[in-house]
Amino acid sequence: MNMSFADLGLAPEVLKAVADQGYENPTPIQAKAIPVVLAGRDVLGAAQTGTGKTAAFTLPILTKLAPMASNSVSPARHPVRALILTPTRELADQVSASVTTYGKQLALRSTMVFGGVNMEEQSKILRGGVEIVVATPGRLLDHVQQKTISLGQVEILVLDEADRMLDMGFIPDIRRILDLLTNRKQTLMFSATFSPEIKKLAAEFLNNPETIEVARQNATNEMVKQELHPVESHRKQKLLAHLIRTHGMTQVIAFCRTKQGADQLARDLKRERFSVEAIHGDRLQSARMETLAAFKDGKVQVLVATDVAARGLDINDLPYVVNYDLPHNAEDYVHRIGRTGRAGASGVAISFVTPEDDKYFEAIKKLIKKDLQLVPVPGFSPGTHALPPPTRPRSGPALMGDVQVETPQLPPLPKRPQQIAALFLPPKAPIQR
Ligand code: AMP
């Protein structure tokens, strides 16, 4: 029997907002976490974006704060009672939007605080009084220093994507913030992974937590088709353009390892007349938001992103995700392909694997416990130098240098290529024993 939201003990105003969103049943993390949070326990939750984790902590927090809702104009009647810390501005923005959506029936105030935007505007809102603050750690500390925010009445703290906060070096800031939360009663920590470091932080920050784990969304999600192509580095851009055309991709996110790589790929694809934008940490917050909105609206066909910029972005049900650069961190592979095949929709995760990627490829296979096979794309097999067959008719005169070369016969593939490098080397003479 499916559990319903009404069984979880949420406030009627919150239930109404959830019904307005059209959610029928709680997701597994919601069903498990909501009663525990309402009971006042600390939580260590293993959940990625896409599992419904934001509502898993937002709905019970709103329920707990509902009795304190007040229409008073006095700032003193609206102290900060819940603080939600996120590693990135984008995630803060999304969490904040969820708080607004799920809390729309309640006279509770919320705001977000992150760097890269005017501090004065944030200060004005904070001075007026807000019960729920969603913040990135650095900017929150700036406000503490300027005395525009007081955290002494915060009862509930959420650390969202704690693993990424760790990666991004935010833990000293978090410790500083924790010292200011003198009235903290409950802490909820969410992380996509339970690494030894995360367990250590949980032991430091949480008090007898309930550990809640939900199945990894996509490591074993059969709805995601994983296609891996061996390719030489210098031909990756042409291969991507070829695949976008042949698959008729209208919305695709391509992951690059570096900001420079992302910019370069975006430029190259623009030259191929695709509508493409890059998002990474060097781009202004406002530009990142604009780009994301355009991508979601279908105005941008290809979004080139780095892991940090894409982490936590609520981009659901993407039909295609491309690992243009294979990630060096196997966990990132799981995060990246988690962008597709969500909520029962099918998706394709395409990865380019170069000879230099051998050890990262092995690490990914080990992590997801799947023997992923490399399948060359005709015309792009390593060791061949043919152009792919044209995928759309060209009109007008042939361009200089636009040479058509016949696609050679593909060599038979080894049945279970263990080492990618083997695909890139000339065949060896059989060893005589
Ligand atoms: P999150 O993991 O919090 O980023 O949520 C991923 C997406 O799932 C968001 O777009 C939510 O709006 C959506 N969502 C959250 N809870 C539910 C639910 N119970 N039923 C359907 N969709 C949901």
Side-chain angles (χ1 to χ4, degrees), residues 70-79 109 127-131:
S70 159
N71 284 316
S72 164
V73 289
S74 160
R77 297 292 303 275
H78 302 278
R109 302 176 181 174
R127 279 196 214 100
V130 282
E131 280 86 4

PDB file of all heavy atoms in Angstrom, residues 70-79 109 127-131:
ATOM      1  N   SER A  70       3.085  34.435  12.176  1.00  0.00           N
ATOM      2  CA  SER A  70       2.503  35.654  12.739  1.00  0.00           C
ATOM      3  C   SER A  70       2.401  36.733  11.665  1.00  0.00           C
ATOM      4  O   SER A  70       3.294  36.877  10.829  1.00  0.00           O
ATOM      5  CB  SER A  70       3.413  36.152  13.868  1.00  0.00           C
ATOM      6  OG  SER A  70       3.187  37.508  14.116  1.00  0.00           O
ATOM      7  N   ASN A  71       1.316  37.477  11.731  1.00  0.00           N
ATOM      8  CA  ASN A  71       1.153  38.585  10.782  1.00  0.00           C
ATOM      9  C   ASN A  71       1.697  39.896  11.339  1.00  0.00           C
ATOM     10  O   ASN A  71       1.561  40.941  10.711  1.00  0.00           O
ATOM     11  CB  ASN A  71      -0.323  38.752  10.413  1.00  0.00           C
ATOM     12  CG  ASN A  71      -0.753  37.661   9.439  1.00  0.00           C
ATOM     13  OD1 ASN A  71      -0.036  37.346   8.480  1.00  0.00           O
ATOM     14  ND2 ASN A  71      -1.895  37.044   9.698  1.00  0.00           N
ATOM     15  N   SER A  72       2.294  39.822  12.510  1.00  0.00           N
ATOM     16  CA  SER A  72       2.821  41.038  13.129  1.00  0.00           C
ATOM     17  C   SER A  72       3.881  41.689  12.237  1.00  0.00           C
ATOM     18  O   SER A  72       4.636  41.000  11.553  1.00  0.00           O
ATOM     19  CB  SER A  72       3.452  40.677  14.474  1.00  0.00           C
ATOM     20  OG  SER A  72       4.273  41.724  14.914  1.00  0.00           O
ATOM     21  N   VAL A  73       3.937  43.018  12.264  1.00  0.00           N
ATOM     22  CA  VAL A  73       4.960  43.699  11.457  1.00  0.00           C
ATOM     23  C   VAL A  73       6.262  43.854  12.237  1.00  0.00           C
ATOM     24  O   VAL A  73       7.294  44.234  11.679  1.00  0.00           O
ATOM     25  CB  VAL A  73       4.490  45.097  10.973  1.00  0.00           C
ATOM     26  CG1 VAL A  73       3.418  44.966   9.911  1.00  0.00           C
ATOM     27  CG2 VAL A  73       4.027  45.946  12.144  1.00  0.00           C
ATOM     28  N   SER A  74       6.231  43.546  13.506  1.00  0.00           N
ATOM     29  CA  SER A  74       7.421  43.734  14.334  1.00  0.00           C
ATOM     30  C   SER A  74       8.502  42.690  13.997  1.00  0.00           C
ATOM     31  O   SER A  74       8.248  41.491  14.070  1.00  0.00           O
ATOM     32  CB  SER A  74       7.032  43.598  15.811  1.00  0.00           C
ATOM     33  OG  SER A  74       8.185  43.329  16.575  1.00  0.00           O
ATOM     34  N   PRO A  75       9.714  43.144  13.658  1.00  0.00           N
ATOM     35  CA  PRO A  75      10.785  42.186  13.336  1.00  0.00           C
ATOM     36  C   PRO A  75      11.028  41.207  14.481  1.00  0.00           C
ATOM     37  O   PRO A  75      11.380  40.056  14.252  1.00  0.00           O
ATOM     38  CB  PRO A  75      12.005  43.077  13.101  1.00  0.00           C
ATOM     39  CG  PRO A  75      11.465  44.424  12.792  1.00  0.00           C
ATOM     40  CD  PRO A  75      10.161  44.539  13.519  1.00  0.00           C
ATOM     41  N   ALA A  76      10.814  41.665  15.715  1.00  0.00           N
ATOM     42  CA  ALA A  76      11.067  40.809  16.877  1.00  0.00           C
ATOM     43  C   ALA A  76      10.165  39.572  16.880  1.00  0.00           C
ATOM     44  O   ALA A  76      10.490  38.563  17.491  1.00  0.00           O
ATOM     45  CB  ALA A  76      10.857  41.607  18.158  1.00  0.00           C
ATOM     46  N   ARG A  77       9.024  39.670  16.177  1.00  0.00           N
ATOM     47  CA  ARG A  77       8.114  38.531  16.134  1.00  0.00           C
ATOM     48  C   ARG A  77       8.516  37.543  15.029  1.00  0.00           C
ATOM     49  O   ARG A  77       7.875  36.519  14.843  1.00  0.00           O
ATOM     50  CB  ARG A  77       6.667  39.014  15.881  1.00  0.00           C
ATOM     51  CG  ARG A  77       6.103  39.899  16.984  1.00  0.00           C
ATOM     52  CD  ARG A  77       5.892  39.110  18.283  1.00  0.00           C
ATOM     53  NE  ARG A  77       5.012  37.956  18.120  1.00  0.00           N
ATOM     54  CZ  ARG A  77       3.679  37.993  18.179  1.00  0.00           C
ATOM     55  NH1 ARG A  77       3.071  39.140  18.390  1.00  0.00           N
ATOM     56  NH2 ARG A  77       2.966  36.895  18.025  1.00  0.00           N
ATOM     57  N   HIS A  78       9.564  37.881  14.306  1.00  0.00           N
ATOM     58  CA  HIS A  78      10.002  37.001  13.209  1.00  0.00           C
ATOM     59  C   HIS A  78      11.497  36.682  13.310  1.00  0.00           C
ATOM     60  O   HIS A  78      12.269  36.999  12.406  1.00  0.00           O
ATOM     61  CB  HIS A  78       9.705  37.660  11.854  1.00  0.00           C
ATOM     62  CG  HIS A  78       8.271  38.001  11.630  1.00  0.00           C
ATOM     63  ND1 HIS A  78       7.336  37.088  11.196  1.00  0.00           N
ATOM     64  CD2 HIS A  78       7.588  39.163  11.825  1.00  0.00           C
ATOM     65  CE1 HIS A  78       6.147  37.667  11.113  1.00  0.00           C
ATOM     66  NE2 HIS A  78       6.274  38.934  11.497  1.00  0.00           N
ATOM     67  N   PRO A  79      11.909  36.074  14.406  1.00  0.00           N
ATOM     68  CA  PRO A  79      13.333  35.730  14.498  1.00  0.00           C
ATOM     69  C   PRO A  79      13.662  34.572  13.555  1.00  0.00           C
ATOM     70  O   PRO A  79      12.763  33.831  13.152  1.00  0.00           O
ATOM     71  CB  PRO A  79      13.478  35.270  15.954  1.00  0.00           C
ATOM     72  CG  PRO A  79      12.132  34.736  16.317  1.00  0.00           C
ATOM     73  CD  PRO A  79      11.125  35.535  15.532  1.00  0.00           C
ATOM     74  N   ARG A 109       7.927  33.885   7.117  1.00  0.00           N
ATOM     75  CA  ARG A 109       8.740  34.587   6.118  1.00  0.00           C
ATOM     76  C   ARG A 109      10.030  33.819   5.867  1.00  0.00           C
ATOM     77  O   ARG A 109      10.606  33.247   6.786  1.00  0.00           O
ATOM     78  CB  ARG A 109       9.095  35.973   6.616  1.00  0.00           C
ATOM     79  CG  ARG A 109       7.885  36.831   6.943  1.00  0.00           C
ATOM     80  CD  ARG A 109       8.404  38.122   7.510  1.00  0.00           C
ATOM     81  NE  ARG A 109       7.343  39.020   7.890  1.00  0.00           N
ATOM     82  CZ  ARG A 109       7.576  40.164   8.513  1.00  0.00           C
ATOM     83  NH1 ARG A 109       8.824  40.524   8.812  1.00  0.00           N
ATOM     84  NH2 ARG A 109       6.581  40.959   8.837  1.00  0.00           N
ATOM     85  N   ARG A 127      16.635  42.498   8.199  1.00  0.00           N
ATOM     86  CA  ARG A 127      16.294  43.401   9.315  1.00  0.00           C
ATOM     87  C   ARG A 127      14.796  43.394   9.603  1.00  0.00           C
ATOM     88  O   ARG A 127      14.372  43.573  10.738  1.00  0.00           O
ATOM     89  CB  ARG A 127      16.767  44.827   9.014  1.00  0.00           C
ATOM     90  CG  ARG A 127      18.242  45.013   9.296  1.00  0.00           C
ATOM     91  CD  ARG A 127      18.584  46.492   9.369  1.00  0.00           C
ATOM     92  NE  ARG A 127      19.918  46.703   8.846  1.00  0.00           N
ATOM     93  CZ  ARG A 127      20.205  47.138   7.621  1.00  0.00           C
ATOM     94  NH1 ARG A 127      19.237  47.453   6.781  1.00  0.00           N
ATOM     95  NH2 ARG A 127      21.454  47.274   7.241  1.00  0.00           N
ATOM     96  N   GLY A 128      13.994  43.138   8.562  1.00  0.00           N
ATOM     97  CA  GLY A 128      12.545  43.110   8.746  1.00  0.00           C
ATOM     98  C   GLY A 128      12.066  41.873   9.488  1.00  0.00           C
ATOM     99  O   GLY A 128      10.933  41.816   9.936  1.00  0.00           O
ATOM    100  N   GLY A 129      12.933  40.868   9.599  1.00  0.00           N
ATOM    101  CA  GLY A 129      12.575  39.635  10.305  1.00  0.00           C
ATOM    102  C   GLY A 129      12.130  38.533   9.357  1.00  0.00           C
ATOM    103  O   GLY A 129      11.266  38.739   8.524  1.00  0.00           O
ATOM    104  N   VAL A 130      12.777  37.378   9.451  1.00  0.00           N
ATOM    105  CA  VAL A 130      12.403  36.189   8.651  1.00  0.00           C
ATOM    106  C   VAL A 130      12.599  34.948   9.507  1.00  0.00           C
ATOM    107  O   VAL A 130      13.566  34.860  10.256  1.00  0.00           O
ATOM    108  CB  VAL A 130      13.255  36.023   7.364  1.00  0.00           C
ATOM    109  CG1 VAL A 130      12.818  36.954   6.272  1.00  0.00           C
ATOM    110  CG2 VAL A 130      14.729  36.171   7.635  1.00  0.00           C
ATOM    111  N   GLU A 131      11.684  34.006   9.388  1.00  0.00           N
ATOM    112  CA  GLU A 131      11.797  32.774  10.173  1.00  0.00           C
ATOM    113  C   GLU A 131      12.735  31.747   9.541  1.00  0.00           C
ATOM    114  O   GLU A 131      13.344  30.946  10.231  1.00  0.00           O
ATOM    115  CB  GLU A 131      10.418  32.118  10.347  1.00  0.00           C
ATOM    116  CG  GLU A 131       9.559  32.723  11.423  1.00  0.00           C
ATOM    117  CD  GLU A 131       8.746  33.906  10.927  1.00  0.00           C
ATOM    118  OE1 GLU A 131       8.798  34.203   9.720  1.00  0.00           O
ATOM    119  OE2 GLU A 131       8.078  34.545  11.761  1.00  0.00           O
TER     120      GLU A 131
END
